[in-house]
Amino acid sequence: QANLEASGGGSVPSGGSLRLSCAASKYIGSAHCIGWFRQSPGGEREGVAGVNLAGNTWYADSVKGRFTISQDTASHTLYLQMNSLKPEDTATYYCAADRTTGVYCYTLAPDALDDWGRGTLVTVSS
């Protein structure tokens, strides 16, 4: 798996769960913030979650309480556990890194990201 290439997407009914993962060996422990953003068909990029070097986490209000970002430092893997999925969560999800400033974690603004990989599609049916 290439660095920051997301996997684990799929089609689930409303209320279902998925866990996304991405290999982030170049970034875990070095990038100031790593995280996830998503983009729905025809929509803007939307920051979803981020985790900084200290392990602090941030979430978009739309996913707070339902999504959990975590990292496995041994395997250098970033995860996004998504529970209670809703149709409005339908999007392509991308794993990404803010290498030097950490601003993405505080703002979840995709413009703050430096690198991202191939996304994975999540489709939630009503």
Side-chain angles (χ1 to χ4, degrees):
Q1 188 178 15
N3 250 258
L4 299 182
E5 180 177 323
S7 62
S11 296
V12 296
S14 182
S17 297
L18 284 172
R19 189 176 77 159
L20 308 184
S21 63
C22 85
S25 60
K26 294 182 180 178
Y27 300 97
I28 288 180
S30 61
H32 284 240
C33 177
I34 54 176
W36 299 87
F37 71 92
R38 65 188 181 186
Q39 187 166 24
S40 57
E44 301 286 327
R45 295 186 301 168
E46 177 190 11
V48 173
V51 54
N52 68 2
L53 284 171
N56 299 311
T57 57
W58 285 261
Y59 298 94
D61 287 344
S62 58
V63 306
K64 204 170 291 182
R66 300 187 297 122
F67 290 11
T68 303
I69 188 171
S70 63
Q71 55 186 338
D72 183 331
T73 54
S75 65
H76 299 103
T77 304
L78 184 70
Y79 297 102
L80 185 69
Q81 177 67 43
M82 306 187 296
N83 298 329
S84 302
L85 282 161
K86 304 175 182 180
E88 51 263 45
D89 294 319
T90 294
T92 298
Y93 285 72
Y94 298 85
C95 178
D98 168 359
R99 282 184 272 109
T100 58
T101 69
V103 168
Y104 179 73
C105 273
Y106 301 115
T107 64
L108 296 181
D111 286 348
L113 295 165
D114 300 302
D115 303 317
W116 55 91
R118 182 179 301 178
T120 187
L121 178 63
V122 172
T123 303
V124 185
S125 57
S126 56

